[in-house]
Amino acid sequence: MDVLGVLEWIGVVVCLILALTGLIPVVAAAATFVVIPFHAWINHYKKAAPYLPRVAIVVPAWNEGAVIGASIDRLMALDYPKEALRIYVVDDASTDDTPVVVGSRAEKYPGNVFLLRREQGGQGKAHTLNHGIERILAEDWMEALLIMDADVIYLPDSLRRMTRHLADPEVGAVSAYIREGSRDRNYLTKFVSVEYVLSQPAARRAQNVLGAQACLAGGAQLHTRENLMAIGGRVDTSTLAEDTITTFETQLHGKKVVFEPHAHVLAEEPRAVDALWKQRLRWARGNVSVTARYSKVWFRPSRVHHLGAWTFGIVWFSLWLLPLIMVTSAIGLAGLLFLQNELAANVFRVLWISAALAYLFVLILGSLTDARTSRKELGHILLFPGIINMIVMITALFPPITLVWLPGLFGITLSTEALFILTLAIYIWIPFSMVVAWLARRSERTRAGRWLAPTLIYLAGYGSLLCAITFDSYLKELAGAEARWDKTEKVGRVAAD
């Protein structure tokens, strides 16, 4: 074999390896979801028992006048002893009527509702929480602390379902299932609703089975007093992911973190791509700091916790690095197309058929974990991957349909060159779909944004939108951009269940 042949062979091998990295998230997702049925046997309910500790609820609030009153009223309507319940609203120097609304509730529920005001605010949610936690820990009354957001609505039995797990002294924290609860959902909140079904009652059930939770829900995390003191008596203020840091620290200190899928909490989520982008960018940048902070934990099994398990690490990194994996796989496919057309086609089919089967499996199993929401949002479950991605899946399964028959319906016969260009476009579509999602955000600022942004998201897919946001977090980190807490505006759209 001559030098040119050797170089071509090396190029094929390298491109093949790059292309096959696309299987990593597919395998990780399927492997995660395959353990969900085992939650029927591997769960914490055997050690749970009726348990009603004295619970202090700390609520950070900045300009929450539109939602805080209803949240307090629903907390006071919980199926929980009122003498074992105290609500501390920490007002972060609000400029609206938040302190007035909370003050009226303090008068309505004396001994249960307390207003703590910070005259100098703007430091972010974590600092606001710590102001309240410090006050609460200064007293001996609290036995468990519930951290929540000002806009969320707890269903009547939710807290009782969470506290039962604290009957086991090995449990340090419990998280609830936060559902999108807007009464007038638009296309984006419907996609968020589907995302939450897949990421919470589905994926977190799997994490219960695997014995390691990635993140307590920021708006619904319950800690024992003992656990809170063990992790420092405060939440982390150095990152934008204080809830994830708290989750990791709890497990690293030898306590269990449990997800309770039957404790439902309703939340209002962003209705515009730009607002969702800012919220998820904050989360993504927080995860960057978490990944770096716990570098000595990854893939190092421990008897104390399961965060170092290979299963947990693969799932974490396959999600965190998903945008890079998408780009790498597309580069590999494109390279194979130029070097070995036939091999490229076979690898493409393997990747996309695997992705289609995995998605179908995840879709069915995930939907079963919250059948009610899944029935309501069936259309957005089917459109979750994006219309073009669905066409690409069909191309992988039945190439003649999109490459021969479909053009033939319009009297078009593709030349060899045109077929090559179309094939290349299909191979690189996945990373390009992130660009389309970014354009959806930009289009919202135009006159046509009302219809153009939804159209672009439906075409590119909601998953591509999330990947685009994660990719943006890479760029922000590389540029050393300031990590700011951009508050998600809430206007009280949550409807009681």
Side-chain angles (χ1 to χ4, degrees), residues 4-65:
L4 189 61
V6 172
L7 291 176
E8 182 179 347
W9 181 83
I10 293 174
V12 169
V13 172
V14 170
C15 290
L16 179 61
I17 293 172
L18 292 178
L20 291 177
T21 59
L23 287 175
I24 296 174
V26 173
V27 173
T32 299
F33 275 70
V34 80
V35 304
I36 290 175
F38 292 96
H39 194 250
W41 298 277
I42 305 174
N43 56 57
H44 187 256
Y45 295 116
K46 295 178 286 294
K47 295 185 178 180
Y51 181 55
L52 303 172
R54 295 189 299 272
V55 177
I57 304 175
V58 60
V59 188
W62 180 74
N63 288 355
E64 305 279 8

Side-chain angles (χ1 to χ4, degrees), residues 76 82-83 85-88 106 109-114 141:
M76 292 307 301
K82 300 302 176 287
E83 65 275 11
L85 202 62
R86 290 184 182 178
I87 303 166
Y88 295 83
Y109 308 112
N112 291 111
V113 178
F114 303 87
W141 185 85

